[in-house]
Amino acid sequence: MADAFATITQRRMTGGFRIDGIDGKNLHLDPGPGALVRSYQFGVNPLKLHGILVSHSHTDHYSDAEVLIEAMTRGMTRNKGMVIGSESVINGYQKWGPCISEYHLSKSKVKVMEAGETFRFDDLKITATPTIHGDPKNIGFRLEWDGFILSYTSDTAYFKDLHNHHQNADVLIASVIRPGNEKIRGHLCADEFQKLLEETSPKLAIMTHLGMKLITDHPVEEAMRITKNTGIKTLAAQDGMVINLDKFRQKQQTLDEF
């Protein structure tokens, strides 16, 4: 893994990220090492999860999935929640995966997604977006609900049509490994992320999954540079960061406005 040292040294926490209150649901995406412990540390209860989404079969994206499933199902005592993952995560594909045991999948609804596929989780529309990465079944996730779109690239190289799958996102979250134009196979660098923003124009952009080189090369300043160049508010994710996504939702007009 390009960011293996960031993971094993824990220079930055690697528990993925959580979205609360989307269609009344709490979701944890790509729960890597520390997801359970960090959930409690930052005051979010893993017992209140409704869904767990895992993009691919690299340990920094799936290692805490089973323990979060145990939390979601109250120690595997209840049929509860949804587990969504790529083919490699759920069933295994060639040398990748599977990453979650049949036992841990037995108490929740399970959905295997391929790139381009769309799935309805009640009123939440989830689309699996394509990637180019080491795990050939890796997917990103595009979440749409009530006029709001959050798009997550997962780990991917930049490719010509990448922007087409993340258009119109209110919030775009991307794995960005290296600063500037320091390209590395299967991942975005900061300059490629800037290009993606110029092609998609989200309201908010977030760089996450930072590699060691970017962590030590001033990620906040890199985000400020991209903000200045694009005019799009760009953040470098920090441990425990909390963002109110309602600020980036399109406001529904009411009769009081007329």
Side-chain angles (χ1 to χ4, degrees):
M1 289 294 295
D3 60 330
F5 286 106
T7 302
I8 63 179
T9 62
Q10 289 294 288
R11 283 287 300 274
R12 286 290 179 92
M13 298 173 186
T14 52
F17 62 98
R18 178 162 157 161
I19 305 170
D20 279 8
I22 185 167
D23 191 32
K25 297 173 176 61
N26 303 327
L27 309 176
H28 201 120
L29 282 74
D30 280 355
L36 180 75
V37 172
R38 301 306 182 186
S39 293
Y40 284 116
Q41 178 180 346
F42 294 115
V44 288
N45 191 344
L47 277 68
K48 293 185 178 180
L49 283 171
H50 300 88
I52 296 165
L53 288 72
V54 185
S55 64
H56 67 291
S57 65
H58 289 153
T59 51
D60 51 342
H61 291 257
Y62 77 78
S63 69
D64 267 22
E66 290 181 339
V67 71
L68 283 189
I69 290 170
E70 292 197 17
M72 182 170 67
T73 60
R74 303 297 177 105
M76 300 297 290
T77 64
R78 299 183 186 178
N79 294 315
K80 183 174 180 285
M82 173 73 68
V83 179
I84 300 171
S86 65
E87 176 75 16
S88 56
V89 168
I90 304 298
N91 296 324
Y93 178 78
Q94 297 180 359
K95 65 180 179 180
W96 293 274
C99 306
I100 303 173
S101 71
E102 291 184 17
Y103 167 71
H104 285 96
L105 294 174
S106 65
K107 294 292 184 178
S108 302
K109 295 179 181 178
V110 179
K111 177 64 178 177
V112 179
M113 297 194 74
E114 296 271 0
E117 185 177 2
T118 295
F119 171 68
R120 285 277 181 182
F121 185 10
D122 296 331
D123 290 332
L124 177 63
K125 180 182 177 182
I126 302 174
T127 302
T129 63
T131 70
I132 297 176
H133 192 52
D135 176 350
K137 292 296 184 178
N138 180 30
I139 54 175
F141 294 107
R142 179 182 174 94
L143 310 179
E144 301 180 54
W145 169 71
D146 194 27
F148 173 75
I149 300 173
L150 181 146
S151 218
Y152 166 53
T153 66
S154 183
D155 290 356
T156 184
Y158 180 86
F159 56 95
K160 183 179 66 173
D161 295 328
L162 180 61
H163 65 96
N164 290 329
H165 306 285
H166 300 281
Q167 285 291 349
N168 304 314
D170 296 290
V171 177
L172 178 59
I173 302 173
S175 297
V176 181
I177 300 295
R178 292 282 181 89
N181 66 352
E182 297 186 24
K183 298 180 182 181
I184 189 166
R185 184 178 178 182
H187 297 85
L188 295 173
C189 66
D191 283 0
E192 290 170 325
F193 183 50
Q194 176 178 313
K195 184 176 181 181
L196 180 61
L197 298 187
E198 291 168 345
E199 294 169 330
T200 55
S201 300
K203 297 184 179 74
L204 174 68
I206 303 171
M207 300 188 298
T208 189
H209 201 288
L210 311 179
M212 285 289 285
K213 188 71 164 60
L214 182 51
I215 291 169
T216 56
D217 278 11
H218 311 292
V220 173
E221 287 79 358
E222 192 77 337
M224 292 172 63
R225 177 181 69 84
I226 294 173
T227 299
K228 181 179 179 181
N229 290 344
T230 64
I232 296 165
K233 183 177 178 63
T234 303
L235 302 175
Q238 300 181 28
D239 297 339
M241 176 182 283
V242 177
I243 297 172
N244 182 359
L245 296 180
D246 284 338
K247 294 181 179 180
F248 302 96
R249 289 183 61 190
Q250 295 179 3
K251 295 292 190 298
Q252 180 68 42
Q253 286 186 311
T254 67
L255 291 175
D256 294 336
E257 299 178 55
F258 293 93

